[in-house]
PDB file of all heavy atoms in Angstrom:
ATOM      1  N   LEU A1447     -54.817 -21.098  -1.756  1.00  0.00           N
ATOM      2  CA  LEU A1447     -53.488 -20.748  -2.265  1.00  0.00           C
ATOM      3  C   LEU A1447     -52.411 -21.037  -1.218  1.00  0.00           C
ATOM      4  O   LEU A1447     -51.289 -21.415  -1.549  1.00  0.00           O
ATOM      5  CB  LEU A1447     -53.476 -19.263  -2.661  1.00  0.00           C
ATOM      6  CG  LEU A1447     -52.298 -18.777  -3.484  1.00  0.00           C
ATOM      7  CD1 LEU A1447     -52.125 -19.571  -4.771  1.00  0.00           C
ATOM      8  CD2 LEU A1447     -52.446 -17.288  -3.806  1.00  0.00           C
ATOM      9  N   SER A1448     -52.788 -20.893   0.036  1.00  0.00           N
ATOM     10  CA  SER A1448     -51.861 -21.191   1.125  1.00  0.00           C
ATOM     11  C   SER A1448     -51.522 -22.685   1.140  1.00  0.00           C
ATOM     12  O   SER A1448     -50.360 -23.076   1.286  1.00  0.00           O
ATOM     13  CB  SER A1448     -52.523 -20.739   2.428  1.00  0.00           C
ATOM     14  OG  SER A1448     -51.781 -21.159   3.514  1.00  0.00           O
ATOM     15  N   PHE A1449     -52.544 -23.534   0.938  1.00  0.00           N
ATOM     16  CA  PHE A1449     -52.324 -24.992   0.845  1.00  0.00           C
ATOM     17  C   PHE A1449     -51.430 -25.323  -0.344  1.00  0.00           C
ATOM     18  O   PHE A1449     -50.501 -26.115  -0.228  1.00  0.00           O
ATOM     19  CB  PHE A1449     -53.649 -25.737   0.664  1.00  0.00           C
ATOM     20  CG  PHE A1449     -54.253 -26.206   1.953  1.00  0.00           C
ATOM     21  CD1 PHE A1449     -55.421 -25.646   2.430  1.00  0.00           C
ATOM     22  CD2 PHE A1449     -53.652 -27.232   2.685  1.00  0.00           C
ATOM     23  CE1 PHE A1449     -55.982 -26.079   3.621  1.00  0.00           C
ATOM     24  CE2 PHE A1449     -54.212 -27.674   3.872  1.00  0.00           C
ATOM     25  CZ  PHE A1449     -55.383 -27.098   4.349  1.00  0.00           C
ATOM     26  N   LEU A1450     -51.742 -24.714  -1.474  1.00  0.00           N
ATOM     27  CA  LEU A1450     -50.973 -25.006  -2.687  1.00  0.00           C
ATOM     28  C   LEU A1450     -49.504 -24.614  -2.498  1.00  0.00           C
ATOM     29  O   LEU A1450     -48.593 -25.392  -2.806  1.00  0.00           O
ATOM     30  CB  LEU A1450     -51.574 -24.251  -3.887  1.00  0.00           C
ATOM     31  CG  LEU A1450     -50.860 -24.424  -5.228  1.00  0.00           C
ATOM     32  CD1 LEU A1450     -50.888 -25.875  -5.694  1.00  0.00           C
ATOM     33  CD2 LEU A1450     -51.476 -23.521  -6.307  1.00  0.00           C
ATOM     34  N   ALA A1451     -49.296 -23.426  -1.956  1.00  0.00           N
ATOM     35  CA  ALA A1451     -47.918 -22.938  -1.760  1.00  0.00           C
ATOM     36  C   ALA A1451     -47.173 -23.828  -0.768  1.00  0.00           C
ATOM     37  O   ALA A1451     -46.009 -24.175  -0.993  1.00  0.00           O
ATOM     38  CB  ALA A1451     -47.942 -21.490  -1.275  1.00  0.00           C
ATOM     39  N   ALA A1452     -47.848 -24.207   0.310  1.00  0.00           N
ATOM     40  CA  ALA A1452     -47.197 -25.044   1.323  1.00  0.00           C
ATOM     41  C   ALA A1452     -46.822 -26.396   0.730  1.00  0.00           C
ATOM     42  O   ALA A1452     -45.760 -26.954   1.022  1.00  0.00           O
ATOM     43  CB  ALA A1452     -48.125 -25.220   2.525  1.00  0.00           C
ATOM     44  N   TYR A1453     -47.680 -26.904  -0.128  1.00  0.00           N
ATOM     45  CA  TYR A1453     -47.416 -28.200  -0.757  1.00  0.00           C
ATOM     46  C   TYR A1453     -46.195 -28.104  -1.677  1.00  0.00           C
ATOM     47  O   TYR A1453     -45.290 -28.940  -1.630  1.00  0.00           O
ATOM     48  CB  TYR A1453     -48.656 -28.654  -1.538  1.00  0.00           C
ATOM     49  CG  TYR A1453     -48.592 -30.118  -1.901  1.00  0.00           C
ATOM     50  CD1 TYR A1453     -48.931 -31.094  -0.970  1.00  0.00           C
ATOM     51  CD2 TYR A1453     -48.168 -30.528  -3.158  1.00  0.00           C
ATOM     52  CE1 TYR A1453     -48.847 -32.450  -1.287  1.00  0.00           C
ATOM     53  CE2 TYR A1453     -48.087 -31.871  -3.485  1.00  0.00           C
ATOM     54  CZ  TYR A1453     -48.435 -32.829  -2.544  1.00  0.00           C
ATOM     55  OH  TYR A1453     -48.345 -34.158  -2.866  1.00  0.00           O
ATOM     56  N   ILE A1454     -46.166 -27.054  -2.495  1.00  0.00           N
ATOM     57  CA  ILE A1454     -45.033 -26.854  -3.412  1.00  0.00           C
ATOM     58  C   ILE A1454     -43.732 -26.691  -2.618  1.00  0.00           C
ATOM     59  O   ILE A1454     -42.701 -27.279  -2.945  1.00  0.00           O
ATOM     60  CB  ILE A1454     -45.283 -25.615  -4.307  1.00  0.00           C
ATOM     61  CG1 ILE A1454     -46.478 -25.863  -5.234  1.00  0.00           C
ATOM     62  CG2 ILE A1454     -44.034 -25.254  -5.117  1.00  0.00           C
ATOM     63  CD1 ILE A1454     -47.052 -24.612  -5.871  1.00  0.00           C
ATOM     64  N   ALA A1455     -43.805 -25.891  -1.556  1.00  0.00           N
ATOM     65  CA  ALA A1455     -42.606 -25.666  -0.735  1.00  0.00           C
ATOM     66  C   ALA A1455     -42.140 -26.976  -0.110  1.00  0.00           C
ATOM     67  O   ALA A1455     -40.946 -27.290  -0.113  1.00  0.00           O
ATOM     68  CB  ALA A1455     -42.898 -24.621   0.342  1.00  0.00           C
ATOM     69  N   ALA A1456     -43.084 -27.784   0.374  1.00  0.00           N
ATOM     70  CA  ALA A1456     -42.726 -29.052   1.023  1.00  0.00           C
ATOM     71  C   ALA A1456     -42.046 -29.995   0.038  1.00  0.00           C
ATOM     72  O   ALA A1456     -41.069 -30.669   0.364  1.00  0.00           O
ATOM     73  CB  ALA A1456     -43.978 -29.699   1.621  1.00  0.00           C
ATOM     74  N   VAL A1457     -42.544 -30.007  -1.180  1.00  0.00           N
ATOM     75  CA  VAL A1457     -41.988 -30.864  -2.224  1.00  0.00           C
ATOM     76  C   VAL A1457     -40.517 -30.499  -2.505  1.00  0.00           C
ATOM     77  O   VAL A1457     -39.699 -31.340  -2.844  1.00  0.00           O
ATOM     78  CB  VAL A1457     -42.876 -30.732  -3.492  1.00  0.00           C
ATOM     79  CG1 VAL A1457     -42.158 -31.152  -4.738  1.00  0.00           C
ATOM     80  CG2 VAL A1457     -44.168 -31.517  -3.317  1.00  0.00           C
ATOM     81  N   LEU A1458     -40.200 -29.220  -2.333  1.00  0.00           N
ATOM     82  CA  LEU A1458     -38.827 -28.760  -2.579  1.00  0.00           C
ATOM     83  C   LEU A1458     -37.963 -28.806  -1.316  1.00  0.00           C
ATOM     84  O   LEU A1458     -36.818 -28.354  -1.327  1.00  0.00           O
ATOM     85  CB  LEU A1458     -38.846 -27.336  -3.142  1.00  0.00           C
ATOM     86  CG  LEU A1458     -39.355 -27.212  -4.575  1.00  0.00           C
ATOM     87  CD1 LEU A1458     -39.608 -25.753  -4.926  1.00  0.00           C
ATOM     88  CD2 LEU A1458     -38.371 -27.818  -5.569  1.00  0.00           C
ATOM     89  N   GLY A1459     -38.553 -29.310  -0.227  1.00  0.00           N
ATOM     90  CA  GLY A1459     -37.763 -29.438   1.003  1.00  0.00           C
ATOM     91  C   GLY A1459     -37.903 -28.275   1.971  1.00  0.00           C
ATOM     92  O   GLY A1459     -37.035 -28.046   2.804  1.00  0.00           O
ATOM     93  N   TYR A1460     -38.995 -27.527   1.855  1.00  0.00           N
ATOM     94  CA  TYR A1460     -39.275 -26.434   2.797  1.00  0.00           C
ATOM     95  C   TYR A1460     -40.624 -26.669   3.477  1.00  0.00           C
ATOM     96  O   TYR A1460     -41.599 -25.982   3.183  1.00  0.00           O
ATOM     97  CB  TYR A1460     -39.295 -25.084   2.067  1.00  0.00           C
ATOM     98  CG  TYR A1460     -37.954 -24.665   1.495  1.00  0.00           C
ATOM     99  CD1 TYR A1460     -37.582 -25.021   0.196  1.00  0.00           C
ATOM    100  CD2 TYR A1460     -37.065 -23.911   2.253  1.00  0.00           C
ATOM    101  CE1 TYR A1460     -36.355 -24.638  -0.331  1.00  0.00           C
ATOM    102  CE2 TYR A1460     -35.831 -23.523   1.737  1.00  0.00           C
ATOM    103  CZ  TYR A1460     -35.486 -23.887   0.446  1.00  0.00           C
ATOM    104  OH  TYR A1460     -34.281 -23.514  -0.069  1.00  0.00           O
ATOM    105  N   PRO A1461     -40.684 -27.647   4.392  1.00  0.00           N
ATOM    106  CA  PRO A1461     -41.981 -28.016   4.964  1.00  0.00           C
ATOM    107  C   PRO A1461     -42.593 -26.970   5.903  1.00  0.00           C
ATOM    108  O   PRO A1461     -43.760 -27.065   6.243  1.00  0.00           O
ATOM    109  CB  PRO A1461     -41.675 -29.320   5.715  1.00  0.00           C
ATOM    110  CG  PRO A1461     -40.215 -29.267   6.004  1.00  0.00           C
ATOM    111  CD  PRO A1461     -39.585 -28.478   4.895  1.00  0.00           C
ATOM    112  N   GLN A1462     -41.787 -25.980   6.293  1.00  0.00           N
ATOM    113  CA  GLN A1462     -42.299 -24.979   7.250  1.00  0.00           C
ATOM    114  C   GLN A1462     -42.873 -23.738   6.566  1.00  0.00           C
ATOM    115  O   GLN A1462     -43.260 -22.800   7.248  1.00  0.00           O
ATOM    116  CB  GLN A1462     -41.165 -24.522   8.195  1.00  0.00           C
ATOM    117  CG  GLN A1462     -40.436 -25.629   8.914  1.00  0.00           C
ATOM    118  CD  GLN A1462     -41.370 -26.434   9.807  1.00  0.00           C
ATOM    119  OE1 GLN A1462     -42.360 -25.907  10.312  1.00  0.00           O
ATOM    120  NE2 GLN A1462     -41.095 -27.715   9.961  1.00  0.00           N
ATOM    121  N   PHE A1463     -42.910 -23.720   5.256  1.00  0.00           N
ATOM    122  CA  PHE A1463     -43.314 -22.496   4.542  1.00  0.00           C
ATOM    123  C   PHE A1463     -44.705 -22.019   4.948  1.00  0.00           C
ATOM    124  O   PHE A1463     -45.649 -22.800   5.039  1.00  0.00           O
ATOM    125  CB  PHE A1463     -43.286 -22.733   3.032  1.00  0.00           C
ATOM    126  CG  PHE A1463     -43.594 -21.503   2.219  1.00  0.00           C
ATOM    127  CD1 PHE A1463     -42.614 -20.574   1.938  1.00  0.00           C
ATOM    128  CD2 PHE A1463     -44.884 -21.277   1.738  1.00  0.00           C
ATOM    129  CE1 PHE A1463     -42.890 -19.433   1.191  1.00  0.00           C
ATOM    130  CE2 PHE A1463     -45.179 -20.132   0.992  1.00  0.00           C
ATOM    131  CZ  PHE A1463     -44.170 -19.213   0.718  1.00  0.00           C
ATOM    132  N   SER A1464     -44.814 -20.725   5.162  1.00  0.00           N
ATOM    133  CA  SER A1464     -46.103 -20.144   5.513  1.00  0.00           C
ATOM    134  C   SER A1464     -46.411 -18.991   4.557  1.00  0.00           C
ATOM    135  O   SER A1464     -45.674 -17.998   4.506  1.00  0.00           O
ATOM    136  CB  SER A1464     -46.012 -19.659   6.967  1.00  0.00           C
ATOM    137  OG  SER A1464     -47.013 -18.748   7.238  1.00  0.00           O
ATOM    138  N   ALA A1465     -47.477 -19.142   3.778  1.00  0.00           N
ATOM    139  CA  ALA A1465     -47.841 -18.100   2.806  1.00  0.00           C
ATOM    140  C   ALA A1465     -48.418 -16.910   3.567  1.00  0.00           C
ATOM    141  O   ALA A1465     -49.453 -17.030   4.213  1.00  0.00           O
ATOM    142  CB  ALA A1465     -48.872 -18.647   1.820  1.00  0.00           C
ATOM    143  N   GLU A1466     -47.747 -15.790   3.508  1.00  0.00           N
ATOM    144  CA  GLU A1466     -48.192 -14.619   4.277  1.00  0.00           C
ATOM    145  C   GLU A1466     -48.520 -13.421   3.404  1.00  0.00           C
ATOM    146  O   GLU A1466     -49.268 -12.539   3.815  1.00  0.00           O
ATOM    147  CB  GLU A1466     -47.109 -14.247   5.300  1.00  0.00           C
ATOM    148  CG  GLU A1466     -47.026 -15.298   6.393  1.00  0.00           C
ATOM    149  CD  GLU A1466     -45.765 -15.255   7.228  1.00  0.00           C
ATOM    150  OE1 GLU A1466     -44.753 -14.667   6.781  1.00  0.00           O
ATOM    151  OE2 GLU A1466     -45.775 -15.829   8.322  1.00  0.00           O
ATOM    152  N   ALA A1467     -47.950 -13.375   2.214  1.00  0.00           N
ATOM    153  CA  ALA A1467     -48.246 -12.267   1.310  1.00  0.00           C
ATOM    154  C   ALA A1467     -48.269 -12.793  -0.112  1.00  0.00           C
ATOM    155  O   ALA A1467     -47.537 -13.727  -0.452  1.00  0.00           O
ATOM    156  CB  ALA A1467     -47.187 -11.174   1.437  1.00  0.00           C
ATOM    157  N   GLY A1468     -49.134 -12.208  -0.912  1.00  0.00           N
ATOM    158  CA  GLY A1468     -49.209 -12.629  -2.306  1.00  0.00           C
ATOM    159  C   GLY A1468     -49.411 -11.426  -3.207  1.00  0.00           C
ATOM    160  O   GLY A1468     -50.026 -10.430  -2.801  1.00  0.00           O
ATOM    161  N   ILE A1469     -48.841 -11.514  -4.395  1.00  0.00           N
ATOM    162  CA  ILE A1469     -49.099 -10.493  -5.410  1.00  0.00           C
ATOM    163  C   ILE A1469     -49.538 -11.242  -6.659  1.00  0.00           C
ATOM    164  O   ILE A1469     -48.864 -12.167  -7.094  1.00  0.00           O
ATOM    165  CB  ILE A1469     -47.823  -9.664  -5.722  1.00  0.00           C
ATOM    166  CG1 ILE A1469     -47.345  -8.942  -4.456  1.00  0.00           C
ATOM    167  CG2 ILE A1469     -48.098  -8.666  -6.846  1.00  0.00           C
ATOM    168  CD1 ILE A1469     -46.029  -8.201  -4.611  1.00  0.00           C
ATOM    169  N   VAL A1470     -50.692 -10.859  -7.178  1.00  0.00           N
ATOM    170  CA  VAL A1470     -51.128 -11.417  -8.452  1.00  0.00           C
ATOM    171  C   VAL A1470     -50.864 -10.339  -9.498  1.00  0.00           C
ATOM    172  O   VAL A1470     -51.338  -9.212  -9.350  1.00  0.00           O
ATOM    173  CB  VAL A1470     -52.632 -11.789  -8.442  1.00  0.00           C
ATOM    174  CG1 VAL A1470     -53.010 -12.502  -9.736  1.00  0.00           C
ATOM    175  CG2 VAL A1470     -52.981 -12.650  -7.237  1.00  0.00           C
ATOM    176  N   ASN A1471     -50.080 -10.685 -10.503  1.00  0.00           N
ATOM    177  CA  ASN A1471     -49.802  -9.743 -11.602  1.00  0.00           C
ATOM    178  C   ASN A1471     -50.613 -10.169 -12.822  1.00  0.00           C
ATOM    179  O   ASN A1471     -50.589 -11.340 -13.192  1.00  0.00           O
ATOM    180  CB  ASN A1471     -48.324  -9.794 -11.992  1.00  0.00           C
ATOM    181  CG  ASN A1471     -47.402  -9.339 -10.884  1.00  0.00           C
ATOM    182  OD1 ASN A1471     -47.479  -8.197 -10.449  1.00  0.00           O
ATOM    183  ND2 ASN A1471     -46.549 -10.225 -10.405  1.00  0.00           N
ATOM    184  N   TYR A1472     -51.309  -9.211 -13.422  1.00  0.00           N
ATOM    185  CA  TYR A1472     -52.086  -9.499 -14.637  1.00  0.00           C
ATOM    186  C   TYR A1472     -51.376  -8.792 -15.790  1.00  0.00           C
ATOM    187  O   TYR A1472     -51.252  -7.567 -15.780  1.00  0.00           O
ATOM    188  CB  TYR A1472     -53.507  -8.974 -14.500  1.00  0.00           C
ATOM    189  CG  TYR A1472     -54.213  -9.421 -13.220  1.00  0.00           C
ATOM    190  CD1 TYR A1472     -54.080  -8.675 -12.046  1.00  0.00           C
ATOM    191  CD2 TYR A1472     -54.998 -10.567 -13.195  1.00  0.00           C
ATOM    192  CE1 TYR A1472     -54.714  -9.071 -10.872  1.00  0.00           C
ATOM    193  CE2 TYR A1472     -55.634 -10.963 -12.021  1.00  0.00           C
ATOM    194  CZ  TYR A1472     -55.494 -10.215 -10.864  1.00  0.00           C
ATOM    195  OH  TYR A1472     -56.116 -10.594  -9.707  1.00  0.00           O
ATOM    196  N   TYR A1473     -50.879  -9.567 -16.746  1.00  0.00           N
ATOM    197  CA  TYR A1473     -50.106  -9.008 -17.862  1.00  0.00           C
ATOM    198  C   TYR A1473     -50.911  -9.025 -19.152  1.00  0.00           C
ATOM    199  O   TYR A1473     -51.591  -9.999 -19.456  1.00  0.00           O
ATOM    200  CB  TYR A1473     -48.870  -9.870 -18.148  1.00  0.00           C
ATOM    201  CG  TYR A1473     -47.785  -9.898 -17.095  1.00  0.00           C
ATOM    202  CD1 TYR A1473     -47.888 -10.739 -15.994  1.00  0.00           C
ATOM    203  CD2 TYR A1473     -46.628  -9.141 -17.238  1.00  0.00           C
ATOM    204  CE1 TYR A1473     -46.863 -10.807 -15.051  1.00  0.00           C
ATOM    205  CE2 TYR A1473     -45.599  -9.207 -16.307  1.00  0.00           C
ATOM    206  CZ  TYR A1473     -45.724 -10.039 -15.213  1.00  0.00           C
ATOM    207  OH  TYR A1473     -44.713 -10.113 -14.293  1.00  0.00           O
ATOM    208  N   HIS A1474     -50.781  -7.935 -19.935  1.00  0.00           N
ATOM    209  CA  HIS A1474     -51.243  -7.954 -21.321  1.00  0.00           C
ATOM    210  C   HIS A1474     -50.069  -8.382 -22.192  1.00  0.00           C
ATOM    211  O   HIS A1474     -48.939  -8.476 -21.714  1.00  0.00           O
ATOM    212  CB  HIS A1474     -51.721  -6.561 -21.741  1.00  0.00           C
ATOM    213  CG  HIS A1474     -52.822  -6.034 -20.881  1.00  0.00           C
ATOM    214  ND1 HIS A1474     -53.940  -6.774 -20.591  1.00  0.00           N
ATOM    215  CD2 HIS A1474     -52.967  -4.855 -20.224  1.00  0.00           C
ATOM    216  CE1 HIS A1474     -54.732  -6.062 -19.811  1.00  0.00           C
ATOM    217  NE2 HIS A1474     -54.177  -4.906 -19.558  1.00  0.00           N
ATOM    218  N   MET A1475     -50.313  -8.540 -23.481  1.00  0.00           N
ATOM    219  CA  MET A1475     -49.246  -9.034 -24.363  1.00  0.00           C
ATOM    220  C   MET A1475     -48.058  -8.070 -24.428  1.00  0.00           C
ATOM    221  O   MET A1475     -46.940  -8.495 -24.679  1.00  0.00           O
ATOM    222  CB  MET A1475     -49.787  -9.301 -25.772  1.00  0.00           C
ATOM    223  CG  MET A1475     -50.812 -10.430 -25.851  1.00  0.00           C
ATOM    224  SD  MET A1475     -50.345 -11.951 -25.000  1.00  0.00           S
ATOM    225  CE  MET A1475     -48.982 -12.515 -26.001  1.00  0.00           C
ATOM    226  N   ASP A1476     -48.301  -6.780 -24.204  1.00  0.00           N
ATOM    227  CA  ASP A1476     -47.172  -5.836 -24.279  1.00  0.00           C
ATOM    228  C   ASP A1476     -46.630  -5.446 -22.901  1.00  0.00           C
ATOM    229  O   ASP A1476     -45.828  -4.536 -22.777  1.00  0.00           O
ATOM    230  CB  ASP A1476     -47.590  -4.579 -25.071  1.00  0.00           C
ATOM    231  CG  ASP A1476     -48.778  -3.882 -24.435  1.00  0.00           C
ATOM    232  OD1 ASP A1476     -49.308  -4.387 -23.418  1.00  0.00           O
ATOM    233  OD2 ASP A1476     -49.188  -2.825 -24.945  1.00  0.00           O
ATOM    234  N   SER A1477     -47.082  -6.138 -21.848  1.00  0.00           N
ATOM    235  CA  SER A1477     -46.585  -5.802 -20.506  1.00  0.00           C
ATOM    236  C   SER A1477     -45.192  -6.371 -20.301  1.00  0.00           C
ATOM    237  O   SER A1477     -44.856  -7.421 -20.846  1.00  0.00           O
ATOM    238  CB  SER A1477     -47.491  -6.397 -19.429  1.00  0.00           C
ATOM    239  OG  SER A1477     -48.834  -6.056 -19.613  1.00  0.00           O
ATOM    240  N   THR A1478     -44.420  -5.682 -19.483  1.00  0.00           N
ATOM    241  CA  THR A1478     -43.117  -6.209 -19.067  1.00  0.00           C
ATOM    242  C   THR A1478     -42.985  -5.957 -17.567  1.00  0.00           C
ATOM    243  O   THR A1478     -43.743  -5.168 -16.988  1.00  0.00           O
ATOM    244  CB  THR A1478     -41.953  -5.491 -19.780  1.00  0.00           C
ATOM    245  OG1 THR A1478     -42.001  -4.108 -19.449  1.00  0.00           O
ATOM    246  CG2 THR A1478     -42.005  -5.677 -21.287  1.00  0.00           C
ATOM    247  N   LEU A1479     -42.052  -6.637 -16.955  1.00  0.00           N
ATOM    248  CA  LEU A1479     -41.739  -6.380 -15.546  1.00  0.00           C
ATOM    249  C   LEU A1479     -40.227  -6.170 -15.490  1.00  0.00           C
ATOM    250  O   LEU A1479     -39.457  -7.060 -15.855  1.00  0.00           O
ATOM    251  CB  LEU A1479     -42.162  -7.581 -14.682  1.00  0.00           C
ATOM    252  CG  LEU A1479     -41.876  -7.471 -13.190  1.00  0.00           C
ATOM    253  CD1 LEU A1479     -42.755  -6.410 -12.532  1.00  0.00           C
ATOM    254  CD2 LEU A1479     -42.100  -8.811 -12.504  1.00  0.00           C
ATOM    255  N   ALA A1480     -39.835  -4.985 -15.071  1.00  0.00           N
ATOM    256  CA  ALA A1480     -38.411  -4.619 -15.086  1.00  0.00           C
ATOM    257  C   ALA A1480     -37.621  -5.406 -14.047  1.00  0.00           C
ATOM    258  O   ALA A1480     -38.192  -5.938 -13.080  1.00  0.00           O
ATOM    259  CB  ALA A1480     -38.274  -3.127 -14.827  1.00  0.00           C
TER     260      ALA A1480
END
Side-chain angles (χ1 to χ4, degrees):
L1447 193 56
S1448 172
F1449 267 112
L1450 178 62
Y1453 195 81
I1454 294 164
V1457 159
L1458 289 168
Y1460 294 90
Q1462 306 299 330
F1463 184 83
S1464 161
E1466 290 164 340
I1469 299 175
V1470 186
N1471 296 299
Y1472 309 88
Y1473 293 82
H1474 302 310
M1475 295 312 292
D1476 59 358
S1477 307
T1478 61
L1479 179 69

